[in-house]
Amino acid sequence: MAQNAPFKVFSGTKSRYMAEQICKHIGCPLGEMNIQYFADGEFVVSYEESIRGCEVYLIQSTFPNADNLLELLLMIDAAKRASASRIVPVIPYFGWARQDRKDKPRVSIGAKLIADLLSVAGIDRVITMDLHADQIQGFFDVPVDHLYSSSIFLPYIQSMKLENMVMASPDVGGSKRAASYAKYLGTDLVLCHKQRAKANVVSEMKVIGDVEGKNVIILDDMVDTAGTITKAADLFIENGALSVRAFAPHAVLSDPATERINNSKLTEIFFTDSIPLRKQSDKIKVISAAGLLADSIVKCNQNESISESYLIKSH
């Protein structure tokens, strides 16, 4: 395989499991890196091999705590100072992204701040997956390759061969994603209209559409406390659905999410491995995104089109 430039793949601490799978798909070794911790929790990042003139791909999701983000920033800075030719963070889960606009006075726009931090640190482009909002791409002054988990979820949904299938969104905000799946699969679409009492607390929910006698597939971008998605699943069953399954790329799963999933009417819920699972459950299944990310790294290195592998061009 001809290469435009030599490239190396390195990993942050909490995403090493993902980086090892990516390297296995590519057929390259995972680069050697060392992180030294001081007694007060401060840490130093260093590369244990030369990266001068190399493209470096840094695998690290930036889910809380903030150490994961800071570790990535230090990896970028160290690569820049070690004369890497191009620095590309591969961020399966782009954390701190839920504040992407001013929805009330005197709040930060966290997603823009993170984009600025990464840019100032010295990146040349970004590869990420299923951003919380598409407009976050515009917060960067470098190219963003925005991947979609639909590339791996859609073939799996088709392989399930469910009859009377219908796509669903747990809220109106996710209707575009669910509509894209419904159009591709040739199914109907149903929505949930929810009202929140406050963040992470749903006060009321109603079904818009017909689910009676249907096998429902709920689509979301992430599951945090699982309040919305489990409430939606229970509501669909109450309205006559035969079964309810859910697909979401990012398993944030803050407590008591796993307990809610176990106690809900969900048959099963599928995530990618963009975030390591906090707790195991018989209802929670993981479909690896390592192949998708590995393919994108190779195509990025070869200056080939990444969008050609998308089953759905936008969500």
Side-chain angles (χ1 to χ4, degrees):
M1 181 174 63
Q3 293 182 178
N4 292 332
F7 74 90
K8 295 185 178 182
V9 179
F10 295 89
S11 171
T13 305
K14 294 293 179 66
S15 293
R16 188 176 179 89
Y17 70 97
M18 169 74 86
E20 289 172 347
Q21 290 300 310
I22 289 172
C23 287
K24 187 175 179 181
H25 278 279
I26 296 173
C28 71
L30 181 60
E32 293 294 326
M33 211 177 68
N34 182 52
I35 300 177
Q36 178 185 352
Y37 289 86
F38 296 100
D40 64 351
E42 185 178 332
F43 52 89
V44 177
V45 170
S46 62
Y47 293 90
E48 299 299 295
E49 57 189 271
S50 175
I51 56 174
R52 184 180 295 272
C54 293
E55 286 186 13
V56 294
Y57 293 87
L58 310 176
I59 318 296
Q60 179 78 316
S61 285
T62 54
F63 54 91
N65 62 35
D67 281 4
N68 293 317
L69 171 62
L70 185 56
E71 190 177 279
L72 177 58
L73 291 169
L74 291 173
M75 289 164 66
I76 294 165
D77 185 69
K80 180 176 67 174
R81 297 179 190 280
S83 301
S85 66
R86 191 161 70 150
I87 302 167
V88 184
V90 180
I91 309 174
Y93 172 70
F94 186 85
W96 312 95
R98 280 177 274 189
Q99 191 61 48
D100 53 38
R101 66 196 184 282
K102 283 192 71 174
D103 54 357
K104 60 182 179 180
R106 298 177 296 280
V107 296
S108 66
I109 303 180
K112 170 60 175 166
L113 174 62
I114 302 307
D116 288 344
L117 288 170
L118 292 167
S119 297
V120 169
I123 62 173
D124 294 286
R125 72 185 304 122
V126 177
I127 297 174
T128 188
M129 185 176 76
D130 287 286
L131 289 167
H132 186 60
D134 284 345
Q135 71 260 24
I136 293 172
Q137 296 172 76
F139 295 168
F140 288 91
D141 293 325
V142 298
V144 177
D145 292 314
H146 186 202
L147 310 180
Y148 297 113
S149 57
S150 55
S151 300
I152 52 180
F153 283 163
L154 278 168
Y156 192 91
I157 291 172
Q158 289 175 310
S159 74
M160 295 167 75
K161 297 186 178 355
L162 294 174
E163 296 183 357
N164 298 320
M165 189 165 56
V166 63
M167 298 297 113
S169 173
D171 53 41
V172 176
S175 59
K176 185 181 177 183
R177 178 186 304 104
S180 298
Y181 275 70
K183 183 179 179 180
Y184 184 89
L185 295 168
T187 70
D188 290 334
L189 172 68
V190 297
L191 304 175
C192 282
H193 175 67
K194 68 180 179 182
Q195 293 180 330
R196 286 193 182 276
K198 58 182 179 180
N200 291 132
V201 178
V202 177
S203 60
E204 185 181 3
M205 184 176 283
K206 296 178 181 177
V207 176
I208 304 173
D210 181 24
V211 295
E212 188 170 355
K214 306 283 189 180
N215 289 300
V216 180
I217 304 288
I218 302 176
L219 302 159
D220 210 346
D221 65 328
M222 67 172 69
V223 176
D224 188 353
T225 60
T228 298
I229 209 159
T230 54
K231 199 176 185 73
D234 293 349
L235 195 57
F236 288 142
I237 293 295
E238 288 171 16
N239 280 263
L242 296 178
S243 69
V244 182
R245 293 169 177 81
F247 286 78
H250 306 305
V252 179
L253 298 184
S254 307
D255 285 335
T258 306
E259 182 181 347
R260 282 176 172 169
I261 289 168
N262 288 336
N263 294 333
S264 75
K265 297 293 198 303
L266 277 168
T267 302
E268 50 193 352
I269 184 167
F270 297 86
F271 298 102
T272 75
D273 48 358
S274 63
I275 302 175
L277 283 181
R278 293 170 181 263
K279 296 178 181 178
Q280 299 296 323
S281 165
D282 290 340
K283 288 190 176 185
I284 297 174
K285 308 292 193 302
V286 176
I287 304 173
S288 180
L292 174 64
L293 293 163
D295 182 62
S296 300
I297 288 172
V298 172
K299 287 182 175 178
C300 181
N301 174 253
Q302 299 291 324
N303 291 318
E304 296 176 359
S305 172
I306 290 176
S307 64
E308 293 301 313
S309 59
Y310 293 173
L311 296 179
I312 297 175
K313 298 298 182 184
S314 67
H315 291 180

